[in-house]
Amino acid sequence: MTTDDQAPVIFEELNSAGGKKIATATLNAPKSINSLNMTMAEMLYHQLLDWQEDDSIACVLLRGSGDKGFCAGGDVLQLHDSAVKKDNRAQLFFTQEYRLDYLIHTYAKPIVVWGHGIVMGGGLGLMAGASHRVVTEKTRLAMPEVTIGLYPDVGGSWFLNRMPGKVGLFLALTGASINAADTQFVGLADYFLNHSQWDELLSKLQAANWQGNSASVVSAQLIALASQAADKPESPVHQHFEIIGELCTAASNDAVVANIVNYSGDDEWLKRAAGTLANGCPTTIKLVFEQLQASKHLSLKEVFQMELVLSCNCMKLDNFAEGVRALLIDKDKSPKFTPAKLAEVTDTFIAQHFVAPWSGEHPLADL
């Protein structure tokens, strides 16, 4: 365990009542809004395993350093470098990342994830499976992979399919940014607290009586603090639930896309969503439909196994590297996706994304 304040992830154990301890893990890369890389994923995975086996640990709290956000996603610049060089670093990262996400989903102890500020992509992967998911007045959450030629991974196939109505499909296609109230409405968060209540939460957990069910102890403290929280925003997703359903209901997938892109109302949130989809990667758009359909009846384990296949194939093809180049490297925001138009993306090409790119046993066969 490391308490080094320069480490990529800072781990601490705080004494609590009854001889129990509160474990904290802090993602420590504030300049990149705590973007997750291989080292961080490995550190967090192994420490969580250790804490799971330690009877003195009552619960785990996971947060990001700095005030900008919990985690802005995976380190896409490193993934871009791997995709350009056609090496196996991306596969190794995705394998470790999904193994970590699965562990959080199935963890034997309460995990509180403090989803303050920006929570995107891989950050949502860390948050989605936690037992106690907290959002704040500054939370902005998104899965914006349509802009970079990837797709909503890190368990997106699981949680997007479980959102109400057509909301999961809409968010996957448009990469729309949602707030704290939205995240509760769609089932990705459990508690709304103010960011300023972090220290009070720690104090309450340290003072708590851990004789009973630890998950109930954590829930009680969060419920008490949530009753005092202020400045909760309104939920655009809730407000627009009916129109999202109308836009995403059509005779064909192409018609759904046309409905959203041609939205002609006055709402700025919906207009931004339509604009993002209009400029999105055509392959990602078709892949999203197939991803959500293919995963409808999969187990959580099967979801992560499917996503590893998809992600590795996205690294081998050209769209991801081009999308990251245009958005984050050259910053011209003019990606040349291939194929360039939705009508040119064939079913055969999409099907190729679901074929394992390796021979032998699946890297996540042992989940």
Side-chain angles (χ1 to χ4, degrees), residues 152-280:
D153 65 326
V154 295
S157 310
W158 180 264
F159 56 73
L160 289 166
N161 265 328
R162 284 159 176 77
M163 291 181 181
K166 299 287 187 178
V167 170
L169 175 62
F170 181 84
L171 295 180
L173 290 173
T174 64
S177 174
I178 63 177
N179 65 26
D182 293 323
T183 62
Q184 288 186 289
F185 178 72
V186 304
L188 284 175
D190 307 296
Y191 306 93
F192 173 80
L193 273 67
N194 295 128
H195 189 45
S196 60
Q197 292 177 291
W198 167 262
D199 289 338
E200 190 176 359
L201 173 60
L202 274 186
S203 296
K204 285 183 175 294
L205 290 175
Q206 286 184 271
N209 182 341
W210 294 98
Q211 298 306 310
N213 179 278
S214 56
S216 297
V217 174
V218 174
S219 297
Q221 306 308 321
L222 288 168
I223 289 169
L225 287 172
S227 69
Q228 303 165 17
D231 301 320
K232 186 175 181 178
E234 295 295 321
S235 167
V237 175
H238 191 192
Q239 291 170 344
H240 303 312
F241 183 70
E242 287 189 16
I243 191 169
I244 287 172
E246 293 169 2
L247 292 172
C248 293
T249 301
S252 69
N253 293 342
D254 287 356
V256 169
V257 174
N259 283 350
I260 299 173
V261 168
N262 294 324
Y263 168 76
S264 57
D266 297 327
D267 185 82
E268 291 298 326
W269 184 80
L270 288 172
K271 285 198 287 188
R272 282 194 300 272
T276 301
L277 177 57
N279 294 306

Side-chain angles (χ1 to χ4, degrees), residues 285-299:
I285 294 167
K286 286 214 169 179
L287 188 58
V288 161
F289 284 106
E290 191 60 31
Q291 166 201 5
L292 296 183
Q293 184 61 40
S295 61
K296 266 188 176 178
H297 304 294
L298 296 183
S299 67

Side-chain angles (χ1 to χ4, degrees), residues 93-144:
F93 171 74
F94 285 123
T95 301
Q96 182 62 62
E97 182 184 29
Y98 298 169
R99 195 175 289 281
L100 170 60
D101 293 340
Y102 184 80
L103 175 62
I104 292 173
H105 273 271
T106 59
Y107 206 61
K109 295 182 178 182
I111 296 184
V112 178
V113 170
W114 193 260
H116 172 68
I118 293 174
V119 185
M120 296 172 68
L124 183 50
L126 296 175
M127 181 174 161
S131 61
H132 296 73
R133 302 163 300 180
V134 177
V135 285
T136 77
E137 67 278 11
K138 296 291 187 180
T139 295
R140 298 302 304 181
L141 187 148
M143 294 290 286

Side-chain angles (χ1 to χ4, degrees), residues 339-362:
K341 297 180 180 179
L342 197 61
E344 297 171 352
V345 183
T346 66
D347 292 342
T348 300
F349 182 55
I350 293 299
Q352 291 172 4
H353 288 71
F354 290 84
V355 178
W358 51 75
S359 59
E361 188 175 56
H362 194 294

Side-chain angles (χ1 to χ4, degrees), residues 297-313:
H297 304 294
L298 296 183
S299 67
L300 182 63
K301 172 180 176 179
E302 290 168 336
V303 159
F304 281 113
Q305 290 172 338
M306 182 195 79
E307 290 186 354
L308 184 60
V309 172
L310 294 179
S311 297
C312 291
N313 282 323

